[in-house]
Amino acid sequence: MKKRHRVREQRDFLALLRKGRKKESRFFTLFIRPNRYGYGRFAFVVSKHVAHKAIVRNQLRRRAREWVRTRTHLPRESYDMMMLFKKGASEAPKKNL
């Protein structure tokens, strides 16, 4: 995923949390909010609460990025999206995540 397609600024993260629409799943919470850039941006957040080892947290992020990259039908126009992983996501099989 290109760097321009990543949410990087703290103010953008806070805006997503405060004003974004929220969708719940078993393994993550998805926040969606329109942006002004004309292209979609993504963020993947895995806290130490979910997995204590950095290796596991990074694997979750990589799996999520790859999933987004291979899905061409996802809405990528002018939306910021953040996946906030929940506890138990690290033990989930790839297929279920």
Side-chain angles (χ1 to χ4, degrees):
M1 186 182 317
K2 295 179 182 178
K3 284 190 179 182
R4 78 177 203 161
H5 293 288
R6 296 184 187 176
V7 178
R8 299 170 62 101
E9 300 289 326
Q10 183 179 2
R11 62 185 161 91
D12 295 332
F13 278 101
L14 293 175
L16 268 168
L17 288 171
R18 290 181 184 149
K19 300 175 186 175
R21 288 184 301 169
K22 185 176 167 181
K23 303 283 184 181
E24 293 282 335
S25 171
R26 182 175 172 194
F27 298 115
F28 60 86
T29 303
L30 181 67
F31 294 90
I32 303 170
R33 182 171 188 256
N35 70 24
R36 64 179 190 273
Y37 297 107
Y39 53 86
R41 300 186 312 161
F42 295 90
F44 306 100
V45 180
V46 185
S47 70
K48 286 185 181 179
H49 180 72
V50 174
H52 294 289
K53 293 185 178 184
I55 294 170
V56 177
R57 294 192 304 269
N58 290 334
Q59 285 174 343
L60 277 172
R61 284 189 204 100
R62 285 188 201 113
R63 282 201 284 180
R65 273 192 220 117
E66 182 64 18
W67 187 83
V68 168
R69 189 186 68 79
T70 58
R71 303 304 188 270
T72 57
H73 63 278
L74 290 176
R76 295 179 188 217
E77 291 81 27
S78 298
Y79 283 100
D80 285 345
M81 298 182 201
M82 177 173 62
M83 289 178 93
L84 181 64
F85 286 90
K86 294 179 181 179
K87 195 169 190 170
S90 59
E91 288 88 27
K94 259 187 191 180
K95 191 169 138 181
N96 293 347
L97 189 62

